Amino acid sequence: MLGALGIGAIAAFALAPSAASALDRTLSIVAPWEIGSTDPSKSGYVFTRLEVAETLLDADDSGQPRPALAASWTVSDDRLTWRFRLRDGVRFHDGTPMTAEAAAASLRHALGKPGPLKQAPVAAIDADGGEIVIRLSEPFGPLPATLAHNSTLILAPAAYAENGQVTQVIGTGPYRIERLEPPQRLVAARFPDYWGAKPAVERIGFLAAGRGETRALMAESGDADIVFTLDPASQKRLRGNRKLQVHAVPIPRTVALKVNAGHPFLQDVRAREALSLTIDRAGIAAAILRTPDAAAGQLLPPSLPEWHVAGLPPLGRDIARASALLAELGWTKGADGILERGGQPFRLTLRTFPDRPELPLIATAIQDQARAAGIDLRVSIGNSSDVPAGHRDGTLELALMARNFALIPDPLATLLEDFGPEGGDWGAMGWTEPRMAAVLAELRDATDPARRAELRRQAVTLLQAGLPVIPVARYQQTAAVSKRVEGFTIDPFERSYRISSLRWAP
Amino acid sequence: MIVKAVGHRLLQAVLVALAVGVLTFLLTGMLPGDMAFRIAAGRYGYDHVTAAAAEAVRAELGLDRPAAMALGHWLWDLLRFDLGDSLVSGDPVVEEIAHQLGHSARLALTAILLSTLLGLPLGILAGLRPGGLVDRASLVLATALRAVPQFVVGILLILLVAVGLGALPVAGHDSAAHGLLPALTLALGMAAVSSRVTRDATLAVVRSPYYAFARTKGLPERAAFLRHGLRNIGVPVLAYQGVQLVYLIEGVVVVETLFAWPGIGHALVHAVIARDVPMIQGTALVMGLTFVLLNGLVDLACAAIDPRRAQA
Amino acid sequence: MRDSLLNGRRMTGLAVLAAVAAFAWAVPLLAGADPNRQNLTAILAAPSWAEPLGTDHLGRSMLARLAAALRLSLSLALLGVLSAAVPGVLLGIAAGWRGGWVDRGLGVLADTVLALPGLLLVLLLTALAPGTLWTLYVGIALVLWVEYFRVVRATTRTLAGSPQIEASRLLGFGPAYILRRHLWPEIAPVVLTLAAFGAATAILAIAALGFVSVGVRPPTAELGLMMTELLPYYDEAPWVLLQPILAVFLLVLSLNLLAGSRKP
């Protein structure tokens, strides 16, 4: 009797929720990032990656801007007025046409919220016929790249409430949201009136799963068609799975130590160099990241060929040289093996955060390796905001971070933010290098390609010599893809999951 | 009597609401780190949390208000059933909790159901034949299950049932099938204990004089058990379910994380990390009140099964 | 049917617990390996003479880490349970003995604490000083004391009106005598059972907090954290992952056996 009651109840329960799995041919995508909000400034990346919403411009695999919602663009001779001609015949998901007024309004909303556009010297954004006119207060080369950032995506006027909050995501992309359940679930179907080529996959389901092991198991069981961000151990296991294909592409994200160069222990560049010499990058790459070529010998990766200086001697490990440099600075080994100077032990706090699970691991590895040279690091694992907050109140000593140098597809914008005259929340701290400021300032305005290449080389060389941040390792974007799906590629700028170019295997 | 019991639970509910409000205000006020930076990290992610973003958050939310004033506002709004807006997403807390509580309740109900289906028959069988095979086997199983952390049980279930057999999905929350593995993970832990409670209750009933009398007066075994046994076993078992609710409401955090289930425990963890005070208060309040409500229901159910308790 | 204080099952539990504790405290004396010393060229090594339990994903000695983690779990659980039991028992006796407004006031307090999500308390406390042990310990004690209070109060209240205690009182014995002679023998076994269950709960709770990265932080060796960190290697090096699982299993099992058959 009780059993029958139970079975009845389970059956009744089973009927209650909507059975989305019954809809055939839904491409299921799993990634770690949650959908925090409908607002592009907070969760825009989800909507551009799933191709629900689009930006004025896009970027190709080398980061060069290319047309998206804007078909073409021009800049005035004084480099202060940019005009973007919009594509014709684009419709929002609510059926209304995308007008220049609507697009300009979206950009003005983005300008009012934190994000890369706010950091550009924008004076005004207006609609003029079929064009958007952006007036700057001073020249800013990376503007096209800024307009490719997901926080600047274009939504229909009906998407915004009166106070500027985005209440629903009404974009222009090839997929239209059917169901949005923050923080973890999104289902979207093909949008029939899309302006571009019609995608082959008719429906997509996105699930945010925070734990790496859950994601790996979902790939293994065939629950998910595409699983992004595999932990190193699972990657190895999934490569042996016949039903899956594992993709890995280097992305312009570098694990680096942010150094307080104003700290008495770290003021001298030789101290920073010594710290860098203690780090076993090859060991970290091979043992923790399990990608031997992930060791970072300079800050910017080879995948950004414009910003990678091939001839630069790579940073490496040399404990003897580190010890010698520290001895030059007056540090002597104490009884417990820790260096001392004037009665003070060489003890620093290394902050990091668990949002990327390998960061705490790398931090403990660095802690162990620095000890070999007598540097005592205390690892403090907190919140990502501890890094900018510590930068501002001056308490930060060292921080291990994973910095994306292509937040917008042009790394110059990130470098300007990180290594400007006053340093940056995620860049230099207490580091004074007037040449760097001059180089970046010139780079911002220069147009001659040869001169720009020379300036980039100078900037990278200055960073390698001064070590305001110490590069450690590089990231790869990884994905396990079911063989049911064909045509998969990874966007090295993580702007899109490129679902619209996928098709089902016959 | 029932009026008094209900009154007692109401008082408890009011006190819980007050305690949640005061505690969260006191503790969140003491938490280290700049709240604006924390909220900015929760909103914009680690790539975009900068001092500029934190300043924008501070200006938008007016974080410089004194704590006492904020507490007063919260209590006043609570009286009007308004829990405010999430500082991170900007959506009303009530909406977010409704979504998450719904998922958690689905999970919890399935877990209770499964644990009853597993634990009750096993416990009764064991209690009817103390020292028998079922009793010994279920004791070993229960002892072992209680000594394994929940997430290990969950991973094992995923490996065996989802990856090995391909019988159920690994994670997600679309269909009823998605709910079974996380619910089973919770249910196994609960059944491990409730089967033993049932076993002891059954044993006590079977050895009691009234049960012996029922059988000597000639009732067949089955009728004696159904009429005199089950009801008396019900009370301690049901009362124990009330105790287990705490475990359920809180044990879900681990299970929710593992199975990518958007529940209330998950929400609370994230709210604390992001210093989303209205969300912390809202989720804690809902959790506390759910506990009081369910325990009240358990009280009433016990009274209904055993009329003597209602008069006691 | 009260369990005798030292039946076979309890003895087994005590023996296992003692063995685990002996392992935890003997390892650092015998093999002085540093639980945080890494060797990235020898990760996930199988057990050998040099490393009897193998190495973890950062090439650290599993023997040293396991012992350190067991010491942490045992100390934290013991301390937390003690700090919960002492006020819980004292307040329980006070409430049960005095009755009246003391009883009512404390009862209301206990009811409120019970209904407050313990998770909230622990989360907020651990957020006060992330990664520190004292917050975990205070959290455990704050959540656990209510149980002692409720049980001891109920026991005391039944006993307070009993003829034996009446008799002692009439004979002019003071509260200290009555407490020692009549109350304590009744309360002690219950408290022991609660303490063992509480310690088991605490150990599992600390492990679970490690899993959602709220509790102890790396590189500290803690059983839950070790399981979480080693989980991805379940296929590659199952013997390493099994060690912390087995350690928690033995600890909790022995404590549950020690507690007796079930909760009072």
Side-chain angles (χ1 to χ4, degrees):
Chain A
M1 185 199 79
L2 204 81
L5 195 80
I7 289 163
I10 287 194
F13 166 79
L15 293 175
S18 65
S21 52
L23 300 164
D24 55 336
R25 284 301 193 179
T26 296
L27 182 89
S28 125
I29 303 161
V30 179
W33 305 284
E34 295 200 341
I35 311 161
S37 155
T38 44
D39 201 300
S41 71
K42 298 171 189 168
S43 300
Y45 57 89
V46 179
F47 307 120
T48 49
R49 283 176 186 171
L50 292 171
E51 296 177 82
V52 166
E54 296 170 304
T55 44
L56 281 193
L57 301 180
D58 193 358
D60 64 16
D61 278 5
S62 65
Q64 293 306 312
R66 68 176 179 201
L69 287 178
S72 60
W73 63 96
T74 54
V75 59
S76 64
D77 290 339
D78 62 0
R79 306 182 39 76
L80 289 177
T81 308
W82 293 73
R83 305 184 79 90
F84 297 86
R85 168 145 294 278
L86 293 182
R87 200 175 286 279
D88 290 324
V90 177
R91 281 187 183 278
F92 287 116
H93 291 164
D94 62 356
T96 56
M98 181 193 66
T99 59
E101 283 74 21
S106 271
L107 291 180
R108 281 193 297 263
H109 280 299
L111 191 60
K113 293 166 185 165
L117 191 58
K118 205 173 180 159
Q119 279 153 17
V122 175
I125 301 174
D126 296 296
D128 179 17
E131 290 187 331
I132 288 185
V133 184
I134 298 182
R135 273 176 258 276
L136 304 178
S137 55
E138 49 185 295
F140 187 67
L143 185 69
T146 307
L147 294 174
H149 187 260
N150 55 53
S151 62
T152 67
L153 48 80
I154 305 296
L155 298 177
Y160 299 90
E162 268 172 43
N163 61 1
Q165 271 256 349
V166 175
T167 50
Q168 49 176 324
V169 184
I170 309 172
T172 54
Y175 289 97
R176 175 168 56 184
I177 293 181
E178 279 190 338
R179 198 150 58 86
L180 175 62
E181 292 174 8
Q184 288 178 310
R185 189 85 180 119
L186 191 160
V187 179
R190 212 157 45 188
F191 174 49
D193 295 335
Y194 182 57
W195 58 268
K198 186 180 166 184
V201 171
E202 53 268 49
R203 178 175 270 102
I204 54 176
F206 174 84
L207 177 75
R211 296 210 71 98
E213 46 270 32
T214 308
R215 290 196 301 277
L217 289 166
M218 287 185 82
E220 238 171 325
S221 73
D223 266 11
D225 296 305
I226 304 175
V227 171
F228 284 98
T229 313
L230 308 167
D231 59 278
S234 304
Q235 232 183 91
K236 193 180 165 196
R237 191 175 74 246
L238 295 180
R239 278 185 200 281
N241 190 318
R242 279 182 296 112
K243 290 188 212 142
L244 297 173
Q245 199 154 23
V246 174
H247 296 252
V249 162
I251 54 172
R253 186 184 280 280
T254 306
V255 180
L257 273 178
K258 173 185 166 82
V259 182
N260 180 355
H263 190 279
F265 296 177
L266 299 164
Q267 232 160 12
D268 196 297
V269 68
R270 285 172 291 175
R272 302 198 289 273
E273 207 183 324
L275 185 60
S276 166
L277 284 168
T278 64
I279 300 171
D280 178 11
R281 294 173 179 81
I284 288 171
I288 299 179
L289 303 174
R290 302 206 148 179
T291 313
D293 50 2
Q298 57 180 288
L299 194 59
L300 292 145
S303 64
L304 292 176
E306 290 197 325
W307 288 93
H308 185 82
V309 178
L312 213 58
L315 300 169
R317 183 171 217 227
D318 187 343
I319 294 289
R321 171 136 178 76
S323 299
L325 284 171
L326 291 166
E328 272 177 43
L329 293 169
W331 293 98
T332 51
K333 271 220 166 127
D336 53 356
I338 301 300
L339 296 173
E340 281 178 6
R341 187 171 68 183
Q344 269 186 312
F346 201 136
R347 183 168 294 148
L348 296 167
T349 302
L350 168 59
R351 295 187 201 189
T352 192
F353 47 93
D355 304 49
R356 288 199 166 247
E358 42 307 286
L359 286 182
L361 289 178
I362 298 176
T364 58
I366 291 175
Q367 176 188 37
D368 189 62
Q369 290 157 9
R371 227 192 130 81
I375 299 173
D376 185 16
L377 298 181
R378 296 277 159 91
V379 174
S380 156
I381 297 162
N383 183 265
S384 55
S385 67
D386 296 346
V387 178
H391 177 98
R392 291 293 152 152
D393 64 20
T395 56
L396 187 98
E397 294 171 345
L398 291 167
L400 188 72
M401 56 189 188
R403 186 65 171 152
N404 184 350
F405 287 100
L407 283 176
I408 70 167
D410 185 349
L412 178 59
T414 311
L415 291 174
L416 279 168
E417 193 186 326
D418 288 358
F419 302 106
E422 279 107 48
D425 290 323
W426 292 92
M429 177 175 182
W431 185 58
T432 39
E433 175 55 86
R435 282 175 296 170
M436 186 72 184
V439 165
L440 285 178
E442 194 185 339
L443 203 46
R444 197 171 135 139
D445 306 341
T447 46
D448 173 45
R451 178 66 187 150
R452 290 181 63 86
E454 168 57 20
L455 288 167
R456 283 195 298 262
R457 201 191 57 75
Q458 283 181 17
V460 172
T461 314
L462 284 171
L463 287 176
Q464 188 87 338
L467 289 175
V469 297
I470 301 174
V472 178
R474 305 200 186 292
Y475 264 105
Q476 288 194 308
Q477 173 61 293
T478 49
V481 183
S482 155
K483 291 202 175 148
R484 289 186 295 249
V485 179
E486 286 180 349
F488 180 84
T489 52
I490 292 178
D491 173 2
F493 291 94
E494 296 182 86
R495 291 180 29 79
S496 168
Y497 289 156
R498 298 180 171 172
I499 307 152
S500 56
S501 54
L502 294 181
R503 58 195 177 273
W504 297 105
Chain B
M1 269 309 129
I2 287 187
V3 175
K4 192 174 170 191
V6 170
H8 173 78
R9 290 294 177 192
L10 273 179
L11 175 73
Q12 197 185 4
V14 171
L15 285 171
V16 165
L18 274 175
V20 165
V22 174
L23 254 176
T24 41
F25 268 105
L26 280 182
L27 284 174
T28 47
M30 285 159 64
L31 291 182
D34 187 318
M35 217 166 116
F37 273 95
R38 281 293 190 130
I39 295 169
R43 278 186 178 186
Y44 306 112
Y46 51 85
D47 278 337
H48 292 290
V49 47
T50 56
E55 281 324 305
V57 167
R58 202 188 307 279
E60 181 196 323
L61 299 176
L63 290 175
D64 303 325
R65 263 193 315 179
M69 213 169 105
L71 176 61
H73 268 279
W74 184 75
L75 286 172
W76 174 241
D77 286 344
L78 187 64
L79 285 176
R80 299 181 294 146
F81 297 102
D82 179 5
L83 291 174
D85 295 337
S86 158
L87 302 183
V88 172
S89 73
D91 297 329
V93 169
V94 175
E95 275 176 30
E96 296 206 2
I97 291 180
H99 171 65
Q100 283 147 344
L101 191 68
H103 282 290
S104 280
R106 253 176 74 192
L107 190 61
L109 281 177
T110 323
I112 290 183
L113 216 66
L114 283 175
S115 91
T116 314
L117 286 179
L118 292 170
L120 205 62
L122 206 63
I124 291 175
L125 284 179
L128 290 176
R129 302 259 181 290
L133 184 69
V134 177
D135 189 19
R136 283 164 178 278
S138 71
L139 174 66
V140 171
L141 205 65
T143 318
L145 262 177
R146 275 159 62 202
V148 181
Q150 244 170 13
F151 58 91
V152 176
V153 176
I155 294 265
L156 282 177
L157 282 177
I158 293 182
L159 280 176
L160 291 176
V161 182
V163 179
L165 299 176
L168 287 171
V170 172
H173 50 275
D174 272 340
S175 68
H178 282 101
L180 282 178
L181 275 190
L184 190 62
T185 308
L186 286 168
L188 282 178
M190 295 194 322
V193 187
S194 71
S195 69
R196 298 316 293 169
V197 173
T198 312
R199 180 253 184 207
D200 290 355
T202 309
L203 190 60
V205 166
V206 172
R207 287 190 178 158
S208 69
Y210 63 80
Y211 194 71
F213 176 72
R215 281 164 67 183
T216 29
K217 84 177 176 190
L219 273 182
E221 187 80 13
R222 197 182 149 81
F225 182 73
L226 287 179
R227 203 174 300 166
H228 296 275
L230 216 48
R231 192 178 270 256
N232 283 301
I233 295 170
V235 175
V237 172
L238 205 62
Y240 183 72
Q241 296 285 11
V243 178
Q244 284 206 311
L245 289 171
V246 195
Y247 164 89
L248 242 188
I249 293 172
E250 290 163 13
V252 289
V253 176
V254 163
V255 171
E256 282 168 2
T257 319
L258 185 61
F259 290 94
W261 192 270
I264 199 155
H266 177 89
L268 183 60
V269 173
H270 277 246
V272 171
I273 291 174
R275 304 283 189 269
D276 190 348
V277 179
M279 269 304 278
I280 300 177
Q281 286 167 328
T283 38
L285 187 71
V286 167
M287 279 171 137
L289 292 185
T290 313
F291 177 81
V292 174
L293 176 74
L294 291 178
N295 266 297
L297 289 179
V298 168
D299 288 351
L300 291 179
C302 283
I305 292 184
D306 184 0
R308 286 169 303 177
R309 280 170 78 99
Q311 279 134 40
Chain C
M1 280 188 308
R2 190 145 50 76
D3 289 309
S4 71
L5 213 49
L6 284 176
N7 57 17
R9 199 187 284 171
R10 281 195 159 144
M11 289 302 283
T12 318
L14 197 62
V16 175
L17 191 64
V20 173
F23 168 82
W25 270 276
V27 163
L29 299 178
L30 300 175
D34 178 349
N36 292 333
R37 167 63 62 213
Q38 304 182 355
N39 179 2
L40 294 183
T41 57
I43 60 165
L44 301 172
S48 64
W49 275 113
E51 280 301 341
L53 295 180
T55 60
D56 75 354
H57 56 302
L58 294 174
R60 296 174 290 199
S61 159
M62 277 303 285
L63 182 72
R65 284 186 78 69
L66 203 63
L70 281 169
R71 289 198 297 278
L72 180 90
S73 278
L74 276 170
S75 325
L76 212 56
L78 197 74
L79 218 64
V81 162
L82 255 165
S83 318
V86 171
V89 168
L90 290 180
L91 290 176
I93 292 176
W97 192 256
R98 288 287 301 274
W101 64 267
V102 177
D103 183 38
R104 274 202 298 281
L106 287 172
V108 165
L109 178 69
D111 270 357
T112 311
V113 174
L114 195 69
L116 274 185
L119 179 71
L120 172 78
L121 285 177
V122 173
L123 282 178
L124 284 178
L125 273 169
T126 46
L128 275 179
T132 53
L133 295 177
W134 69 266
T135 51
L136 269 184
Y137 147 72
V138 173
I140 294 168
L142 270 180
V143 175
L144 283 182
W145 74 270
V146 185
E147 242 179 313
Y148 298 90
F149 170 78
R150 283 160 60 97
V151 171
V152 170
R153 176 172 77 153
T155 318
T156 313
R157 193 162 21 182
T158 355
L159 285 174
S162 69
Q164 304 98 303
I165 291 186
E166 262 325 286
S168 289
R169 212 180 272 166
L170 285 174
L171 287 171
F173 288 111
Y177 173 84
I178 294 172
L179 192 69
R180 205 176 61 237
R181 182 75 181 76
H182 297 289
L183 270 178
W184 186 241
E186 288 293 323
I187 294 172
V190 183
V191 169
L192 175 73
T193 300
L194 275 183
F197 272 127
T201 311
I203 286 167
L204 286 175
I206 298 166
L209 286 174
F211 181 75
V212 285
S213 64
V214 171
V216 183
R217 297 289 164 86
T220 314
E222 191 276 319
L223 293 168
L225 204 58
M226 286 168 78
M227 286 184 228
T228 313
E229 288 177 346
L230 292 168
L231 205 53
Y233 307 94
Y234 77 87
D235 189 50
E236 219 176 322
W239 65 89
V240 195
L241 173 61
L242 274 177
Q243 291 174 37
I245 296 180
L246 198 68
V248 167
F249 182 80
L250 282 178
L251 267 185
V252 176
L253 183 74
S254 64
L255 284 165
N256 280 340
L257 289 176
L258 191 64
S261 62
R262 68 178 176 96
K263 288 201 178 192

